[in-house]
Structures are given as structure tokens and as C-alpha cells.
Amino acid sequence: MSELNEPRQHPLRHPVARRQLLQAGTLALLLGAQHIARGASILAVRVWPSQDYTRVTIETDVPIVARQFLIPDPPRVAVDIEGLDMMPALRELVAKVKPDDPTIAGIRIGQNAPGVLRLVIDLRQAVNPQVFTLKPVAAYQHRLVLDLYPSVQIDPLAALIAERLREPSGATSAAGKVSPLPSGADPLGDLMAEQGQRAPGRSVAPPNMARNSPPRPADENTASSRTDRLIIVALDPGHGGEDPGAIGPGGTREKDVVLQIALLLKERINNQPNMRAYLTRDADFFVPLHVRVQKARRVQADLFVSLHADAFFTPNPQGASVFALSERGASSSSARWIADKENSADGVGGVNIKAKDAQVLKTLLDMSTTAQINDSLKLGSAMLGEIGSVGKLHKPRVEQAGFAVLKAPDIPSVLVETAFISNPDEEIRLNSPTYQVQLADALLRGILRYFAKNPPLARNRAV
Ligand SMILES: [Zn+2]
């Protein structure tokens, strides 16, 4: 596991530290109004580094106001925060920057004026900073969020193909199945061209049926190897970063177990001939729901599989469920409830969406098609059948509701609630490496079964 994947200590899991801070806040109340006006108390500071962006969160008991300035040479962001005085929690922020943070080289903090702090964030690369505040939600109080997006964004499809090409040619996986790679002068270009220029109407053999022959040497650039299309499965581990998802009675966080399962499934998919998994997040950071959909579309994913763990108020409910999108209302009230719960992730995770963007987004996400839903239902039943062979099912049929994350109009998309994290037995299973492997194997079998009956069509979309 890389450092980015290391389980972080969640601030909410430190009730004592939190209580002390809250008590400090109460003390400020007793001191009188003039002190309250001057000072917010910091409840927690967090840094979430990732290749996509690095987020810094400062959580306070009252709202604070910030203004940022970008200084190009050397690149740094200065943030003036009103209503804050220097306090020990801020020194913690300095210490929380990881040495391998792709964006932040370091943070310096000084008192700029009475009641105004200046944060200077030294950068490793040019960024577009987004600074915004969030009102109290779930277990959080007021949050000031600094999102630092690299000015030069990585092209996810190019990165995916480059990753594939970095693998030693002819290398065999544990299963001995590796597809041949095109070996032209510009293999990356070839692969990308293949992705974009399939003759319409042609389909390719399902990946599990396609190649039983041993791997061919990379230099044997046969016609058939060129017509093998790379099938891309987008895996979407739910939640992440500021949004822990559901938390089990033993403290297991949904965002951690679904990432572990997604990484296992990725490995299995990548061991299939001509298949490649693409993760919407591969570490512990938050990805807004619409960005998950956009990411899958940018890599022209053939399938989208969102992984979650269910939770209820009582410990008894158990079993896995699989969901597809619905065009007309939810298939049951519980499906609607779960969709509402999963759709609320953006509020907890924290997104900076202006009203204008939100409208554009809604229009984009409302293009869902009947064909997508039909394919999603087929994929969902194939997966449900396989999950049922390794664990209990909550419902025997694929359910439907308006999940925001399933709205890619052109990609069959399902959301898997792998088990109930709120059920103590299932929480243990979700944490068990054995069960995680069984589940990943079952999910792969479901995906292969779907492709066996529904061969992926040739691409005719523009990259
Ligand atoms: Zn979830």
C-alpha cells in the first residue's frame, strides 16, 4: 500500500480530543461576546493528498472567512483567514503535509494582523485553487476547504494505456493470461487509435472466451491482436476523504473497505485478456458524484461498477444488494432511501458547485437512456447471482432508483451494496481478507458472465 492509501486517523474517531476542543469553545462563550467575535476555535485540520488534487480542510466551531492569492514564482498560494488566531491545532496542519504530497511542498503560518492569519502553501506544481466554506453537516461543524487542482490535468485514458504498456511484454499474470500488446512504432498511439476507430457495428469476443492460447510475444504483431479491443471497466469505490461513508459498530469505515475490495477486483480484471480496470479513486480522497461519472466517460468505460456498503439504524439487516438506475421512480421505498443516502455523499464530502454549474450538470445527468438501464439490469443480475454464491443477498432482484452516480447515459452502470456494515457479523466479513477476495472473485465472475452474453460493441465514440 502506498502512503496515500494508509488508513488515516479520522478526527471523528477521537472523541476525547474533540470534546476538549469543544470545551475550549464553551470557555470562549463564558469569556464574553468580544472574544467570540474575534476567535473561532479549530476543531480539526486535515490534508487529503491525491494525484487528482490535494485538499486542506480547517474545521471550526463558527464560520470563518478566507481570501486567497496566487503567487507564481516560486508557486505558492497565500490564504488570509479572518477570525482565527495562531493556535496549536494549526501547527498540526503543518505537520500533516506528507513528504510525497504531489501538490503541496509545505505550509507556513503566521499572524498577518490581529485576528487574521496567513497560510502560505508552497507548491510543487502550478495549481488552480478553489477555496470555499461548508455549513455543518453530518458529524462536521463549519469547514473551510482549500482544493488545489493541478493546472495541468492528467489525461486518464492516456494514463491507463501508458500503465498497460509499462507492464513487461509477454509477462504472465498469476492466471497466465496476458493479452498481446500492439507493438507498432507508437504503441500508445496505436492503442488510443484502436479505442477511437473501431468500425461501427462490429463486436469482439467476450474477454473470458477470447483467448485460450498462451500469450504471444509482443513482437508478433498479428492482425487478430490488433482487433482485440481493450475493454475498460470503471470501478468506483464510494465515498473517500472527508466522506467516510457509513461507519460500522466496530468503527469500520465504508470508504476503506470498498477501496480494498475495488483494488482486489482491479487486480483480477487486469489479469483478464484485453481487460483493464480504471478506478475513479485509488486512494483516500473525495471524488464528487458527477466527477465519478465524468471520469468513467473520459476513459470510455464499457461498464461502471460503484462499490458501497449498506447501513441501517438497527443491527439486523444483512446481505448484498445491486442497484441500477431508474427512469421512473424507485422500485421500492428502501431503494429510494438508499439512493437518497448515497446521493448525499457530496454534501459530506464537500463540493464547490455554483448554481449555474449545477443546472448544466443536472441536464447532463438527465440524459439517461432505456438501453443503458436494460444493460445495467442484465449486468446487475449477473453480478447478483455470483455474489449470492459467496454471501447472503438482501434482495433477490436488481433494484432501481435514481442514483446520481449511475447516470452515464452510455455506460451500463450498477451500484453494489456489498453487505451491511451496520450488521456486526457483516462488518467482520467486510474486513476479512478472505471474504474480500471471495467477493472480488464473485464480482469478476459476474462481469465476465455479462460480457459472455453481451459482447462489448465496437467503439464509435470520439475520444
Ligand atoms: Zn455508500
Side-chain angles (χ1 to χ4, degrees), residues 238-239 245-246 254 307-309 341-342 417:
H239 314 280
E254 179 182 0
L307 296 169
H308 290 259
K341 189 161 58 74
E342 298 295 5
E417 295 282 358

